Amino acid sequence: LTGMWVSRPPPDVIERRLRLGLFAPSRAAPSGRKSMSFRSGPTAVGRALPPSAVPPPRAVRRRLRKEVIADRRRRAAFANGSVFSGHLARRRVRPATALAYEKASRDFVRWARAAAPNLDLGDTADLDQAMLMFIEHLFFAGEPPYAARMALFGHAFVESRNLRDPAEFARARLTLRGFAAAAPGMQRDPLPWAAALLIAAKLCEKGSDEARAAAGACLVSFDGYLRPSEA
């Protein structure tokens, strides 16, 4: 890596590398700038460690790289007050989907506590009954089947319920299938090309790079039959 220009590592990584003697100012840096480069051999590392304990430079770099990756993953796992346990299980869905699931679960719990306070949502049978009643409430309130699916799958996601188990939400899932049969989804006409161009033009008028990228994504999605997350 000597003589190569690399992006500057985080301060804590630089401090660890300086403590091990792995960083040294490059003599080939132009115009008085100091670039940080690796120096191999016992000359650079031997100042911090005894010669008998000096590991190979490649092993040291591999260990430091693992420390940086582990620190980044820990920060992501504990961000926004999340708990470490179950972090990878929750990452199986996109962040936007997880937020939608959490909102649907909160709406269900709020309704269940008000409409059926005698049911214990911690009990599997009572939870199944409460979800059944909520799905029927959504049906008679004129909501689409999508709202019922979000409630069931969202609460199962939040509570880490295994929907592969036939006993989990057994009656509620039958009710959901009846909901879909009684209120099938309606086909909608696609967005006209003129409307897609108008949306892209309005976005480009904003002038920002993000708006222009969104305008391009809108046109690409229309032409390629893509979902917004795929563009």
Side-chain angles (χ1 to χ4, degrees), residues 84-167:
F84 187 78
S85 178
H87 171 69
L88 294 180
R90 292 181 176 275
R91 289 297 299 271
R92 70 184 185 273
V93 301
R94 296 177 180 272
T97 305
L99 291 176
Y101 278 165
E102 291 170 0
K103 181 182 183 302
S105 176
R106 288 194 302 269
D107 293 343
F108 160 68
V109 172
R110 188 183 304 112
W111 180 90
R113 288 175 177 171
N118 57 322
L119 295 179
D120 180 12
L121 299 183
D123 180 74
T124 301
D126 284 357
L127 179 62
D128 189 14
Q129 177 65 23
M131 183 62 70
L132 181 153
M133 295 169 59
F134 185 62
I135 292 174
E136 291 183 342
H137 161 72
L138 294 176
F139 175 80
F140 290 110
E143 297 290 342
Y146 170 78
R149 286 195 298 269
M150 286 296 294
L152 194 153
F153 294 116
H155 193 69
F157 171 79
V158 171
E159 296 295 325
S160 299
R161 296 275 178 170
N162 182 18
L163 291 180
R164 295 179 181 270
D165 185 356

